Amino acid sequence: MTSQKNRHNAASLSISLEPEASRPAHRQIRDQLVALIESGRLGAGARLPSSRHLAQELGVSRMTTQTALDNLLAEGYVVSEPRRGIFVADHLPLATPPSDAHQKSPVTQESATTEWLHFASGASVADFPNQAWRRCLRESWLNPSPALMEGTLPSGYRPLRSAIADMLYALRGLRCGPEQILITAGNRDALTLVMSTLRRLHPARSGVWLENPCFPPILNGLRDMGLRPEPLPVDNEGAKLPEKETEPGALAALVTPARQYPLGRVMSTRRRQQWLDLVQTRAGSGQPLWLIEDDYDSEFVYEGRPQAPLSAADDTGHCILLGSFSKSLFKSLRLGYIVAPPALHGPLLDTQRTLGQAAALPLQPALHHFISSGEFAGHLRRMRRLYLERRNHLLDGLRQAGLPLTPWPCHSGMHLIAEIDADQSGLADQQWAQRAQRRKLRLDTISRHYWQGKPTHQGFLLGFSAHDTDQQAAALELLSQLA
């Protein structure tokens, strides 16, 4: 019988990495292990080397090998047994096309100048566990309820709402019940429902405090609804409180305390308390201020612990949380949620009946299965490791490029800020972006997110989550040609 040590060596020595390949190392490891399994060279029940052992033999980081093994677990090729290790599954998943079929052609300097490149944030769809999602789709539709098929679930699929409540407590420490949750078709739908409801409850008020800078579509959406945005400057502690208010007072404030978009700053404890104090004061005055928290990518925290939502410390019932699965899973999913204080849930449903239900019901049971089975938590863990690796790669690349850019600290999220050093570059970020266009590189400037007054900062939002390190390196090469 082959010893455990020899079995480890047989598996790892069959793997060779190509440093210049277009695929990242974790994909090369995953693909070669799949080939060994499907060919029978690693038979059912065979033990795989640990991530530490594999990393030592291949000369890569443990994060790289752990990502490869996590992908195999998610796809069903291997199973994990506590305190024993990882073993080839007895029943393998259906054969899938080779991974190369899903990869873009290698990004060379020649191809990089003929195809548009950009530093993209958002979910890495190449690393989504498609097989696990397919199982959830199949299982969720074996015996659908009539209410699900007829669309008579105005708040959304009840088991999904319960799963989201459990998830929010586990991830963010927020205690809420499924009766407080309303499933939406993402943040835009959620914001439309919330603001339409608040306008109906408070018809005399139309002002909304909004961070400056902010996500431009939110600003445009508020204006399209006939609301009057008023700017909230952002400093190192997050969104500042309004210095003065016009009568009869703003209807709501829309903030991103977990990670301010676009600047990436986490709201300080002191500033959070100031906002909560203002909400309490306004509630006592009879002119309540509704505090709406956009929780757009709080799942990806790389250092420390994520903050609890503001509503976790709100005693007045005037804090609302908006969440979405588009960043954590994939963009086209178009499912999100509202966590509303109990008194607001009924009015929100009334508004939804008027506007119509936008969130697709058939996908909600699948998402429930994905969360309740543990697949969602596992996927988040894998993506945190992968995105951290890509963040570090981008930071290293920026340092090596010697550009007149200063990266800001980035402890969470899916993009980082690189501010232009004014003493070394006389160009504004929009001028950089124009030069980049001529090289087919898209740059997202900080200045375009400011919607009132002169931009306080000049620089770029550099996403690192959506693309692998090879595409990231190609974009960095083009960026280095602009200085």
Side-chain angles (χ1 to χ4, degrees):
M1 182 173 178
T2 305
S3 70
Q4 187 180 88
K5 183 176 186 296
N6 288 338
R7 284 205 305 266
H8 285 178
N9 288 338
S12 55
L13 290 177
S14 299
I15 297 173
S16 61
L17 300 182
E18 300 175 16
E20 303 301 323
S22 62
R23 291 174 298 153
H26 74 89
R27 295 295 299 182
Q28 295 184 53
I29 296 169
R30 175 263 177 206
D31 293 348
Q32 292 180 59
L33 284 172
V34 167
L36 288 170
I37 293 169
E38 292 186 339
S39 68
R41 294 177 63 189
L42 280 174
R47 183 178 178 182
L48 268 66
S50 68
S51 60
R52 186 186 302 276
H53 182 95
L54 202 53
Q56 289 173 348
E57 289 216 5
L58 295 175
V60 296
S61 70
R62 189 179 177 189
M63 182 183 302
T64 296
T65 55
Q66 186 64 58
T67 299
L69 293 176
D70 283 344
N71 285 337
L72 292 177
L73 280 165
E75 295 169 34
Y77 283 100
V78 298
V79 294
S80 177
E81 297 185 16
R83 300 188 180 183
R84 292 194 62 218
I86 296 177
F87 300 84
V88 176
D90 291 334
H91 302 286
L92 300 182
L94 295 175
T96 55
S99 179
D100 287 346
H102 301 286
Q103 301 294 325
K104 294 182 178 179
S105 58
V107 181
T108 63
Q109 183 59 40
E110 181 180 357
S111 64
T113 57
T114 57
E115 297 179 6
W116 284 93
L117 292 175
H118 62 296
F119 295 91
S121 60
S124 178
V125 295
D127 295 281
F128 183 74
N130 291 301
Q131 295 203 26
W133 179 251
R134 184 164 63 242
R135 287 195 299 270
C136 292
L137 285 168
R138 182 177 62 249
E139 292 170 9
S140 68
W141 210 249
L142 291 176
N143 187 26
S145 68
L148 188 67
M149 300 184 73
E150 293 169 0
T152 55
L153 300 171
S155 297
Y157 187 56
R158 170 82 185 203
L160 174 58
R161 290 155 53 209
S162 295
I164 290 173
D166 293 341
M167 177 192 74
L168 288 172
Y169 178 68
L171 293 179
R172 305 293 305 283
L174 175 63
R175 295 181 182 274
C176 63
E179 66 280 354
Q180 292 178 248
I181 295 175
L182 189 147
I183 306 300
T184 70
N187 274 25
R188 182 177 299 179
D189 178 43
L191 191 58
T192 300
L193 282 173
V194 167
M195 296 312 306
S196 299
T197 300
L198 297 183
R199 282 298 304 274
R200 185 164 51 84
L201 296 176
H202 308 282
R205 290 190 280 158
S206 61
V208 179
W209 293 109
L210 182 64
E211 293 169 339
N212 183 35
C214 75
F215 186 47
I218 290 181
L219 172 68
N220 298 332
L222 292 175
R223 286 172 170 166
D224 288 344
M225 285 186 273
L227 295 163
R228 180 170 43 85
E230 300 181 26
L232 290 172
V234 177
D235 62 14
N236 290 334
E237 295 187 78
K240 298 174 69 174
L241 273 69
E243 295 182 359
K244 61 180 181 178
E245 291 198 71
T246 57
E247 294 298 331
L251 173 64
L254 182 59
V255 294
T256 52
R259 188 170 189 268
Q260 200 278 332
Y261 188 88
L263 300 182
R265 288 167 172 164
V266 178
M267 187 176 285
S268 69
T269 302
R270 183 179 77 97
R271 184 65 53 77
R272 287 164 60 90
Q273 190 58 54
Q274 289 175 340
W275 274 107
L276 290 169
D277 290 344
L278 175 60
V279 170
Q280 188 169 38
T281 299
R282 285 282 299 269
S285 72
Q287 294 286 342
L289 176 72
W290 295 89
L291 192 56
I292 305 169
E293 178 174 356
D294 186 350
D295 208 29
Y296 74 101
D297 67 356
S298 63
E299 299 91 350
F300 302 108
V301 177
Y302 311 117
E303 299 171 36
R305 292 181 59 84
Q307 288 183 337
L310 291 168
S311 51
D314 173 40
D315 296 326
T316 71
H318 288 91
C319 286
I320 304 166
L321 180 68
L322 310 184
S324 171
F325 292 97
S326 296
K327 289 284 188 180
S328 55
L329 296 180
F330 52 92
K331 185 176 181 180
S332 64
L333 183 59
R334 300 296 182 192
L335 285 177
Y337 54 88
I338 299 169
V339 183
L344 195 62
H345 194 264
L348 282 170
L349 287 180
D350 291 340
T351 302
Q352 189 186 63
R353 292 186 189 99
T354 301
L355 298 179
Q357 189 175 23
L361 277 168
L363 286 177
Q364 294 183 34
L367 181 55
H368 162 248
H369 276 273
F370 196 74
I371 295 173
S372 61
S373 66
E375 293 286 356
F376 181 67
H379 177 63
L380 287 184
R381 288 193 296 271
R382 291 189 296 274
M383 292 304 99
R384 285 192 196 104
R385 288 193 289 266
L386 177 62
Y387 296 166
L388 176 60
E389 184 178 355
R390 291 179 179 179
R391 183 206 68 173
N392 293 343
H393 185 272
L394 178 56
L395 288 171
D396 290 343
L398 286 169
R399 283 191 289 267
Q400 294 170 12
L403 292 162
L405 298 173
T406 300
W408 289 6
C410 173
H411 306 304
S412 60
M414 307 168 91
H415 77 272
L416 60 82
I417 290 292
E419 186 169 20
I420 297 173
D421 298 330
D423 294 338
Q424 300 182 48
S425 174
L427 299 178
D429 57 14
Q430 292 289 354
Q431 293 173 302
W432 278 64
Q434 290 169 3
R435 288 187 174 187
Q437 278 190 319
R438 293 195 286 270
R439 291 173 170 80
K440 295 193 178 295
L441 172 67
R442 293 191 180 94
L443 286 177
D444 191 5
T445 63
I446 300 176
S447 62
R448 84 174 184 92
H449 294 78
Y450 283 88
W451 54 278
Q452 189 170 95
K454 183 179 179 180
T456 306
H457 303 282
Q458 291 278 333
F460 311 104
L461 286 68
L462 301 183
F464 52 77
S465 57
H467 293 161
D468 62 33
T469 53
D470 295 295
Q471 294 184 67
Q472 191 183 100
L476 270 172
E477 175 62 27
L478 292 181
L479 182 62
S480 67
Q481 299 172 13
L482 304 181

